[in-house]
Amino acid sequence: MNNFREEIFINKDTGQVLSGKELEIQYFESKEEAHNRKLEGLDKRKKKEAFEECISAMLGAFNFTHYSETLKLMETEGAEVDSAFIFRFIYLTTFIDFENVLRYGAKFRGKDKLIMEVKDLGEVMGLSRNHVTKFKQKLIDLKLISIDDETGTMTVNTKYCHKGKLKNSLKGSSIRVFEEGVKELYRASNSKEHKKLGLFIQLLPYLNVQHNVLCKNTEETNPAEIKPLTIQDICRVLGYNVKNARRIEKDLISITVGGKPLMMLHWHNFAYMYSINPRIFYKGNDIESLQSLINLFDIRVRG
């Protein structure tokens, strides 16, 4: 070993001259770096698994909704898709399993176990027979669902939502939709209110990845650098005249889920911003930020 350390070696590609001792040091340093990278990877994986366990324990089951694809439906010529239809579709997706098959009935540990059949749609959606028929046909026409001719199984197109791991390519245009929160919103509303509830789906592209604030720079995590949307900005996004800004604001912040606001207004010295309840929609992966947001929406304001 001593002879090796004293020998001189030349890298034919770079011309670099190193002694055996220097090569030995480089070898062990590279081994240590590889080991540290492996430990770092394991640590990240454990943190991610812990986060998923915590988020499920706190907020229940969820799916990833690919809102960019869903919102394109509203821009599709001839589709005649409005915010009410979008909200109803989002509600329906809260019944998917990990194969994107719709399930309903025979609950076990809070989850529907039976295959949802077409005849179940009326009961699930709580709409008139005529509305359910039109809703189902539009789902089929837009290829949002497919129905197996033999079994009657309804499967939601994975282009619009799925359960399980989220691909990196979808992270910038997807969000967790918590099933129980959406179901509670839907069941506490009537069909005329679905259009207003669907407006929140249109705001999802502006939801900050960590702080759940509606803003222009959604990937910014530094609170001091976030550029919040004004109510006038929100009106423009939703297609409303800014002259009706305060009425729109009142309508949006008056909606509650489980007695807690769906949208919160934060106001100080004529500066204000809006955040969305993470019990319904959440993009981030930071458990501490999530817990802080949940606590904020749990505060009871007494007049």
Side-chain angles (χ1 to χ4, degrees):
M1 181 62 73
N2 289 336
N3 291 336
F4 170 79
R5 289 184 173 185
E6 293 172 0
E7 288 187 30
I8 299 298
F9 298 87
I10 300 175
N11 188 316
K12 292 181 179 180
D13 295 325
T14 65
Q16 184 181 18
V17 179
L18 293 171
S19 68
K21 183 178 180 180
E22 289 172 321
L23 282 174
E24 185 180 0
I25 292 171
Q26 281 190 359
Y27 170 76
F28 284 110
E29 284 179 347
S30 64
K31 290 277 286 185
E32 185 178 3
E33 287 176 6
H35 179 67
N36 289 337
R37 283 197 299 271
K38 185 177 180 180
L39 290 177
E40 187 177 326
L42 287 171
D43 186 51
K44 284 183 179 179
R45 189 156 63 246
K46 286 181 180 178
K47 284 182 178 179
K48 185 176 181 180
E49 290 172 357
F51 175 79
E52 296 298 343
E53 289 178 8
C54 286
I55 202 170
S56 295
M58 288 191 295
L59 302 175
F62 62 88
N63 69 57
F64 285 106
T65 288
H66 314 316
Y67 56 79
S68 61
E69 293 296 336
T70 305
L71 292 175
K72 284 179 184 177
L73 297 171
M74 297 184 71
E75 302 169 3
T76 303
E77 188 175 350
E80 297 182 355
V81 170
D82 62 6
S83 59
F85 177 86
I86 294 295
F87 178 62
R88 290 167 186 166
F89 173 60
I90 294 295
Y91 165 68
L92 184 64
T93 66
T94 63
F95 291 89
I96 64 170
D97 62 14
F98 280 88
E99 301 298 324
N100 267 43
V101 172
L102 290 169
R103 292 187 175 273
Y104 179 68
K107 283 185 178 290
F108 178 69
R109 293 181 179 176
K111 295 181 180 180
D112 292 289
K113 294 298 179 182
L114 294 181
I115 298 295
M116 185 187 295
E117 299 178 12
V118 172
K119 65 181 179 63
D120 295 322
L121 278 176
E123 183 176 344
V124 171
M125 301 306 299
L127 301 171
S128 68
R129 180 179 297 180
N130 184 45
H131 275 88
V132 170
T133 300
K134 290 181 178 179
F135 179 65
K136 182 198 74 173
Q137 192 57 51
K138 186 163 288 189
L139 290 172
I140 295 170
D141 292 344
L142 295 174
K143 296 181 171 55
L144 296 175
I145 66 168
S146 59
I147 303 176
D148 188 286
D149 292 333
E150 294 183 5
T151 65
T153 300
M154 294 186 288
T155 304
V156 176
N157 191 335
T158 55
K159 179 179 179 181
Y160 300 98
C161 71
H162 80 284
K163 283 191 173 186
K165 187 177 180 180
L166 183 65
K167 294 179 181 178
N168 288 333
S169 60
L170 294 172
K171 286 184 177 179
S173 58
S174 302
I175 195 167
R176 291 181 190 83
V177 172
F178 292 96
E179 296 173 1
E180 288 309 310
V182 171
K183 286 175 179 175
E184 185 171 345
L185 266 179
Y186 188 91
R187 291 165 180 168
S189 63
N190 59 53
S191 59
K192 292 181 179 179
E193 294 173 314
H194 292 170
K195 183 176 181 179
K196 182 166 64 175
L197 290 167
L199 298 178
F200 288 94
I201 313 300
Q202 292 176 251
L203 294 174
L204 294 183
Y206 301 91
L207 200 59
N208 185 270
V209 71
Q210 184 166 316
H211 304 288
N212 255 40
V213 171
L214 294 172
C215 65
K216 298 175 182 178
N217 48 343
T218 58
E219 297 299 316
E220 181 59 63
T221 57
N222 182 354
E225 298 298 325
I226 291 175
K227 301 174 182 177
L229 292 187
T230 65
I231 189 59
Q232 288 77 19
D233 293 327
I234 291 172
C235 284
R236 294 185 188 100
V237 169
L238 300 178
Y240 286 98
N241 192 316
V242 294
K243 292 180 180 179
N244 300 318
R246 293 307 159 195
R247 179 178 63 80
I248 300 301
E249 178 187 73
K250 183 179 179 180
D251 286 346
L252 294 176
I253 64 177
S254 66
I255 299 171
T256 60
V257 54
K260 300 173 178 63
L262 177 51
M263 174 188 276
M264 187 177 289
L265 166 63
H266 310 268
W267 183 87
H268 175 69
N269 197 26
F270 301 105
Y272 53 92
M273 63 182 180
Y274 304 87
S275 59
I276 302 295
N277 196 323
R279 294 181 184 277
I280 311 297
F281 306 114
Y282 184 65
K283 282 185 180 180
N285 290 296
D286 188 294
I287 195 66
E288 292 182 1
S289 295
L290 175 59
Q291 185 62 68
S292 296
L293 285 165
I294 291 172
N295 292 342
L296 180 64
F297 277 84
D298 282 349
I299 295 173
R300 290 189 176 184
V301 179
R302 294 175 174 81

